[in-house]
PDB file of all heavy atoms in Angstrom:
ATOM      1  N   ALA A1124    -120.024  46.141  38.723  1.00  0.00           N
ATOM      2  CA  ALA A1124    -120.057  47.376  39.487  1.00  0.00           C
ATOM      3  C   ALA A1124    -119.880  48.613  38.625  1.00  0.00           C
ATOM      4  O   ALA A1124    -120.188  49.720  39.061  1.00  0.00           O
ATOM      5  CB  ALA A1124    -118.983  47.347  40.576  1.00  0.00           C
ATOM      6  N   ASP A1125    -119.382  48.448  37.418  1.00  0.00           N
ATOM      7  CA  ASP A1125    -119.168  49.580  36.534  1.00  0.00           C
ATOM      8  C   ASP A1125    -120.430  50.009  35.800  1.00  0.00           C
ATOM      9  O   ASP A1125    -120.435  51.054  35.157  1.00  0.00           O
ATOM     10  CB  ASP A1125    -118.084  49.259  35.508  1.00  0.00           C
ATOM     11  CG  ASP A1125    -116.704  49.187  36.126  1.00  0.00           C
ATOM     12  OD1 ASP A1125    -116.484  49.806  37.182  1.00  0.00           O
ATOM     13  OD2 ASP A1125    -115.834  48.502  35.545  1.00  0.00           O
ATOM     14  N   TYR A1126    -121.481  49.239  35.891  1.00  0.00           N
ATOM     15  CA  TYR A1126    -122.701  49.534  35.153  1.00  0.00           C
ATOM     16  C   TYR A1126    -123.691  50.317  36.005  1.00  0.00           C
ATOM     17  O   TYR A1126    -123.849  50.055  37.199  1.00  0.00           O
ATOM     18  CB  TYR A1126    -123.344  48.250  34.630  1.00  0.00           C
ATOM     19  CG  TYR A1126    -122.534  47.627  33.526  1.00  0.00           C
ATOM     20  CD1 TYR A1126    -121.408  46.864  33.808  1.00  0.00           C
ATOM     21  CD2 TYR A1126    -122.883  47.822  32.193  1.00  0.00           C
ATOM     22  CE1 TYR A1126    -120.645  46.319  32.786  1.00  0.00           C
ATOM     23  CE2 TYR A1126    -122.129  47.266  31.173  1.00  0.00           C
ATOM     24  CZ  TYR A1126    -121.011  46.519  31.472  1.00  0.00           C
ATOM     25  OH  TYR A1126    -120.266  45.971  30.458  1.00  0.00           O
ATOM     26  N   ASP A1127    -124.351  51.257  35.366  1.00  0.00           N
ATOM     27  CA  ASP A1127    -125.240  52.177  36.061  1.00  0.00           C
ATOM     28  C   ASP A1127    -126.686  51.713  36.113  1.00  0.00           C
ATOM     29  O   ASP A1127    -127.400  51.995  37.080  1.00  0.00           O
ATOM     30  CB  ASP A1127    -125.200  53.554  35.388  1.00  0.00           C
ATOM     31  CG  ASP A1127    -123.801  54.134  35.322  1.00  0.00           C
ATOM     32  OD1 ASP A1127    -123.177  54.293  36.381  1.00  0.00           O
ATOM     33  OD2 ASP A1127    -123.350  54.439  34.193  1.00  0.00           O
ATOM     34  N   TYR A1128    -127.136  51.051  35.077  1.00  0.00           N
ATOM     35  CA  TYR A1128    -128.541  50.692  34.954  1.00  0.00           C
ATOM     36  C   TYR A1128    -128.694  49.228  34.612  1.00  0.00           C
ATOM     37  O   TYR A1128    -127.935  48.677  33.816  1.00  0.00           O
ATOM     38  CB  TYR A1128    -129.211  51.555  33.877  1.00  0.00           C
ATOM     39  CG  TYR A1128    -128.994  53.038  34.083  1.00  0.00           C
ATOM     40  CD1 TYR A1128    -128.102  53.744  33.284  1.00  0.00           C
ATOM     41  CD2 TYR A1128    -129.676  53.720  35.081  1.00  0.00           C
ATOM     42  CE1 TYR A1128    -127.889  55.094  33.477  1.00  0.00           C
ATOM     43  CE2 TYR A1128    -129.464  55.071  35.284  1.00  0.00           C
ATOM     44  CZ  TYR A1128    -128.578  55.757  34.483  1.00  0.00           C
ATOM     45  OH  TYR A1128    -128.366  57.098  34.680  1.00  0.00           O
ATOM     46  N   TRP A1129    -129.707  48.629  35.204  1.00  0.00           N
ATOM     47  CA  TRP A1129    -129.950  47.205  35.051  1.00  0.00           C
ATOM     48  C   TRP A1129    -131.411  46.916  34.759  1.00  0.00           C
ATOM     49  O   TRP A1129    -132.300  47.598  35.259  1.00  0.00           O
ATOM     50  CB  TRP A1129    -129.560  46.455  36.324  1.00  0.00           C
ATOM     51  CG  TRP A1129    -128.103  46.478  36.606  1.00  0.00           C
ATOM     52  CD1 TRP A1129    -127.396  47.487  37.188  1.00  0.00           C
ATOM     53  CD2 TRP A1129    -127.164  45.444  36.313  1.00  0.00           C
ATOM     54  NE1 TRP A1129    -126.065  47.144  37.282  1.00  0.00           N
ATOM     55  CE2 TRP A1129    -125.902  45.890  36.754  1.00  0.00           C
ATOM     56  CE3 TRP A1129    -127.272  44.180  35.734  1.00  0.00           C
ATOM     57  CZ2 TRP A1129    -124.751  45.121  36.626  1.00  0.00           C
ATOM     58  CZ3 TRP A1129    -126.133  43.413  35.603  1.00  0.00           C
ATOM     59  CH2 TRP A1129    -124.895  43.890  36.047  1.00  0.00           C
ATOM     60  N   GLY A1130    -131.635  45.892  33.957  1.00  0.00           N
ATOM     61  CA  GLY A1130    -132.980  45.404  33.765  1.00  0.00           C
ATOM     62  C   GLY A1130    -133.377  44.455  34.873  1.00  0.00           C
ATOM     63  O   GLY A1130    -132.596  44.148  35.775  1.00  0.00           O
ATOM     64  N   GLN A1131    -134.611  43.978  34.805  1.00  0.00           N
ATOM     65  CA  GLN A1131    -135.132  43.066  35.815  1.00  0.00           C
ATOM     66  C   GLN A1131    -134.711  41.623  35.587  1.00  0.00           C
ATOM     67  O   GLN A1131    -134.831  40.797  36.485  1.00  0.00           O
ATOM     68  CB  GLN A1131    -136.656  43.151  35.870  1.00  0.00           C
ATOM     69  CG  GLN A1131    -137.175  44.478  36.395  1.00  0.00           C
ATOM     70  CD  GLN A1131    -136.802  44.700  37.842  1.00  0.00           C
ATOM     71  OE1 GLN A1131    -137.041  43.836  38.692  1.00  0.00           O
ATOM     72  NE2 GLN A1131    -136.209  45.851  38.135  1.00  0.00           N
ATOM     73  N   GLY A1132    -134.226  41.334  34.406  1.00  0.00           N
ATOM     74  CA  GLY A1132    -133.763  40.001  34.098  1.00  0.00           C
ATOM     75  C   GLY A1132    -134.811  39.154  33.402  1.00  0.00           C
ATOM     76  O   GLY A1132    -136.013  39.378  33.540  1.00  0.00           O
ATOM     77  N   THR A1133    -134.345  38.186  32.654  1.00  0.00           N
ATOM     78  CA  THR A1133    -135.217  37.222  32.009  1.00  0.00           C
ATOM     79  C   THR A1133    -134.646  35.828  32.220  1.00  0.00           C
ATOM     80  O   THR A1133    -133.443  35.612  32.094  1.00  0.00           O
ATOM     81  CB  THR A1133    -135.386  37.546  30.502  1.00  0.00           C
ATOM     82  OG1 THR A1133    -136.336  36.656  29.918  1.00  0.00           O
ATOM     83  CG2 THR A1133    -134.067  37.447  29.746  1.00  0.00           C
ATOM     84  N   GLN A1134    -135.511  34.905  32.578  1.00  0.00           N
ATOM     85  CA  GLN A1134    -135.077  33.556  32.922  1.00  0.00           C
ATOM     86  C   GLN A1134    -134.829  32.736  31.670  1.00  0.00           C
ATOM     87  O   GLN A1134    -135.679  32.670  30.775  1.00  0.00           O
ATOM     88  CB  GLN A1134    -136.129  32.859  33.789  1.00  0.00           C
ATOM     89  CG  GLN A1134    -135.811  31.401  34.126  1.00  0.00           C
ATOM     90  CD  GLN A1134    -134.675  31.265  35.105  1.00  0.00           C
ATOM     91  OE1 GLN A1134    -134.653  31.947  36.131  1.00  0.00           O
ATOM     92  NE2 GLN A1134    -133.720  30.385  34.790  1.00  0.00           N
TER      93      GLN A1134
END
Side-chain angles (χ1 to χ4, degrees):
D1125 289 335
Y1126 290 80
D1127 303 302
Y1128 307 105
W1129 293 81
Q1131 292 295 309
T1133 185
Q1134 176 71 48

